[in-house]
Amino acid sequence: MDKIKMTTPIVEMDGDEMTRILWQMIKDHLLLPFIDLNTEYYDLGLEYRDKTNDQVTVDSANATKKYKVAVKCATITPNADRVKEYSLKEMWKSPNGTIRAILDGTVFRAPIVVKGIEPCVMNWKKPITIARHAYGDVYKGSEMKIPGTGKVELVYTAEDGSETRELVHSFNGPGIVQGMHNLNDSIESFARSCFNYALDTRQDVWFATKDTISKKYDHTFKDIFQEIFEADYADKFKEAGITYFYTLIDDAVARVMKSEGGYIWACKNYDGDVMSDMISSAFGSLAMMTSVLVSPDGDYEYEAAHGTVQRHYYKHLKGEETSTNSVATIFAWTGALRKRGELDGNAELAAFADKLEKATIDTIEAGEMTKDLALITTIPNPTALNSEEFIKAIAKRL
Ligand code: NAP
Ligand code: MG
C-alpha cells in the first residue's frame, strides 16, 4: 500500500509525561505506517521549554499562524513542585495560556460518543459542544470588602480627564463589591469563532446570557453576537441548513437537559467553566473529549482535554503496566489531519482521519478498552487492555 502524502505540514507540539509516551505510540502504530507524515516538530516537553526559556512555545504558536493547523500533546504547567523536580530556571507560564494569547481564540470541547459509555442524561443522543469564551468577566475582576457605611461608585475617566459615575451601592454596614470588564474586540472574536466552527461542523449555535437583568453588560454580548450574525453569517447559515438561537441562560439550561444534543452551546467565561464540567462528566470521562482552539483568523489547534496523567507516568517509569486512555490524543491527531486534508483538498488524508476515528470507536464498542472505561461501560465482560495493547487493537482494525 502506498502511504498517504501530505502537501503542507501540521505543527506538531510534543508534550510531557504519560501523554508523551502515548504520543510516540500513536505515531508508531497508527500514523507512520499509513501516512508520509509531514510535521514541523516543536518539543513543548518541559525540559526543552526550560532550555529555550519558553521560546519554543512562542515559536510553535507562530508556526500555527503560518500553517493554520496544529496538534498538541498535554504539557505540564509548572508549579513549585515541578520547578524542583525539573530544576527549572523559572516557573514558566501555562503553554496553553501562551498559545491562546497569541492565537486569540475560543476553545471548543465535545464528548466522543461511544455505545456502551452512556450519558447520564438519557435523552442526549448526540454530543453537546461547549464553546467557552476565554477572556474577562470574573476571571479579570477586582474585588473589595466594604468594612462599613459608605458609598461605592464605578468611575470611568476618559482620556480627556472627564469622569462618568454610576452608583453601585450606598452601604449602611459591611458588605462586598466586585468590578469586572470585557472588551468588544474579544466578544466579537468569540462570536466569529463560534459561527465559523458551526459552519465547519454543521451544527446550530445556542447562546445565552442574563440580558434581562444585566441590561448593559450581558446585553452587549447579545447585541454583538446578533450584529455579527446578521452582517456576516445569516446567509451562510441558511445555506448550510443551521440556525443561531439566543435565549436566557436559565432557559438554555432547561432546554439543554431536555434536548437530544447535537449543537454548539456558546458560553460566557464563567458559564463555560461550570457547564463544561457538567457536560463532560455527564457524558462519561475527560479522556473521551475532543478539544480544539479556533482563532478568529481560522487557525486550529487540536489537543486532548486532560492533563499529562502524571500518576500513570510514575508507574510507567517504575516499569509497571499502565492502562492510560489514548482516545482524546488520537482524536487530536485525527482532528488536525482532517482539517489539513480539508484545507489542502487532500481527500485521502481526511478520509484516513475518519477511518482512524471509526477504528477507535469500533475497538471500544467491541469491548476492548482501557481500564477507566472498563469500569464504567455497560458492555458486558469488557477486556481491559494496557496502554500499548489498546493502541495495537485499534491498529489491527485500522
Ligand atoms: P490529569 O493528567 O488530567 O489526570 C488526573 C487523573 O485523571 C489521572 O490521575 C487519572 O486518574 C485520570 N485521567 C486523566 N486522563 C486520563 C487518561 N487519558 N486515561 C486514564 N485516566 C486519565 O490531571 P493532573 O494529574 O491534575 O495533571 C497532571 C499534569 O497535567 C499537571 O502538571 C498539569 O499541569 C497538566 N495539565 C495539562 C493540561 C494540558 O496540557 N491540556 C491540562 C490539564 C493539566 P487515575 O489516576 O485515578 O487513574
Ligand atoms: Mg473549571
Side-chain angles (χ1 to χ4, degrees):
M1 192 187 106
D2 280 344
K3 287 193 192 180
I4 298 166
K5 301 272 183 298
M6 292 174 64
T7 49
T8 321
I10 285 174
V11 177
E12 176 183 354
M13 306 170 175
D14 207 346
D16 287 300
E17 297 195 312
M18 200 58 212
T19 41
R20 189 181 179 99
I21 308 287
L22 298 179
W23 196 258
Q24 195 57 50
M25 287 180 189
I26 290 168
K27 284 172 71 178
D28 289 344
H29 296 294
L30 301 177
L31 303 177
L32 293 169
F34 307 99
I35 306 173
D36 258 339
L37 201 62
N38 181 359
T39 69
E40 193 163 291
Y41 180 87
Y42 292 86
D43 185 359
L44 265 53
L46 187 50
E47 279 161 15
Y48 195 66
R49 270 184 278 150
D50 191 54
K51 202 169 156 193
T52 61
N53 298 325
D54 211 21
Q55 184 61 38
V56 64
T57 309
V58 174
D59 292 346
S60 73
N62 286 327
T64 306
K65 287 187 141 181
K66 179 171 170 196
Y67 294 116
K68 301 266 171 219
V69 184
V71 58
K72 181 180 170 292
C73 180
T75 47
I76 293 169
T77 298
N79 55 17
D81 290 345
R82 300 297 201 166
V83 172
K84 234 189 260 165
E85 183 184 354
Y86 285 83
S87 309
L88 299 180
K89 293 183 231 169
E90 237 181 77
M91 199 184 291
W92 304 110
K93 284 192 203 152
S94 150
N96 290 332
T98 302
I99 294 166
R100 270 171 219 168
I102 294 171
L103 296 180
D104 173 26
T106 303
V107 177
F108 296 87
R109 290 200 163 162
I112 299 161
V113 177
V114 175
K115 278 190 219 95
I117 312 292
E118 304 301 334
C120 313
V121 181
M122 277 152 58
N123 44 283
W124 287 355
K125 305 281 182 248
K126 294 179 227 161
I128 297 168
T129 302
I130 294 272
R132 176 183 171 186
H133 185 211
Y135 180 83
D137 304 347
V138 288
Y139 300 86
K140 284 258 183 191
S142 34
E143 305 182 316
M144 259 192 232
K145 287 194 175 198
I146 304 302
T149 301
K151 189 169 72 170
V152 175
E153 289 178 305
L154 294 175
V155 183
Y156 164 64
T157 312
E159 271 179 326
D160 67 6
S162 63
E163 286 183 354
T164 312
R165 286 167 182 265
E166 179 78 35
L167 179 70
V168 176
H169 193 64
S170 281
F171 285 85
N172 291 321
I176 42 181
V177 68
Q178 181 180 60
M180 59 185 196
H181 78 280
N182 221 300
L183 304 170
N184 288 13
D185 274 356
S186 177
I187 301 167
E188 280 175 31
S189 73
F190 172 41
R192 284 187 195 283
S193 297
C194 291
F195 294 141
N196 287 338
Y197 194 73
L199 286 169
D200 259 15
T201 59
R202 298 206 167 231
Q203 298 183 89
D204 295 344
V205 175
W206 294 19
F207 183 45
T209 71
K210 196 69 182 174
D211 64 280
T212 46
I213 301 298
S214 172
K215 292 185 196 299
K216 288 185 182 142
Y217 199 103
D218 276 18
H219 217 294
T220 298
F221 277 83
K222 179 184 177 182
D223 292 343
I224 288 177
F225 265 68
Q226 193 61 37
E227 280 158 24
I228 288 185
F229 179 71
E230 279 165 18
D232 292 337
Y233 292 94
D235 293 343
K236 291 179 196 157
F237 267 50
K238 202 178 260 172
E239 220 167 275
I242 57 177
T243 57
Y244 168 55
F245 170 62
Y246 178 87
T247 186
L248 288 168
I249 184 71
D250 40 354
D251 181 47
V253 169
R255 285 171 188 260
V256 164
M257 295 310 284
K258 296 196 166 164
S259 75
E260 279 203 348
Y263 47 85
I264 296 161
W265 185 9
C267 290
K268 284 178 62 198
N269 209 346
Y270 174 81
D271 297 338
D273 187 353
V274 177
M275 295 308 169
S276 70
D277 280 14
M278 180 190 80
I279 297 283
S280 67
S281 59
F283 269 103
S285 153
L286 257 193
M288 297 297 286
M289 288 275 279
T290 62
S291 180
V292 58
L293 171 70
V294 182
S295 85
D297 297 338
D299 308 318
Y300 293 77
E301 184 232 332
Y302 295 84
E303 53 160 18
H306 57 77
T308 60
V309 212
Q310 183 181 17
R311 202 181 64 83
H312 295 207
Y313 181 59
Y314 289 162
K315 276 177 72 178
H316 171 83
L317 286 182
K318 279 193 260 168
E320 291 172 32
E321 193 171 83
T322 59
S323 181
T324 315
N325 189 333
S326 47
V327 173
T329 308
I330 293 170
F331 273 63
W333 273 102
T334 53
L337 292 169
R338 182 184 299 106
K339 179 54 68 182
R340 183 79 282 159
E342 284 169 18
L343 293 179
D344 295 355
N346 186 342
E348 226 188 335
L349 191 62
F352 174 80
D354 293 343
K355 285 176 198 163
L356 176 49
E357 288 183 1
K358 183 171 186 317
T360 304
I361 288 170
D362 287 351
T363 301
I364 298 169
E365 290 182 348
E368 297 177 273
M369 58 193 84
T370 45
K371 245 186 213 162
D372 55 318
L373 296 185
L375 287 170
I376 58 169
T377 185
T378 54
I379 295 173
N381 309 313
T383 314
L385 301 177
N386 70 34
S387 305
E388 189 163 22
E389 283 167 352
F390 177 63
I391 289 171
K392 283 184 171 167
I394 297 169
K396 208 168 131 198
R397 276 196 176 69
L398 187 61

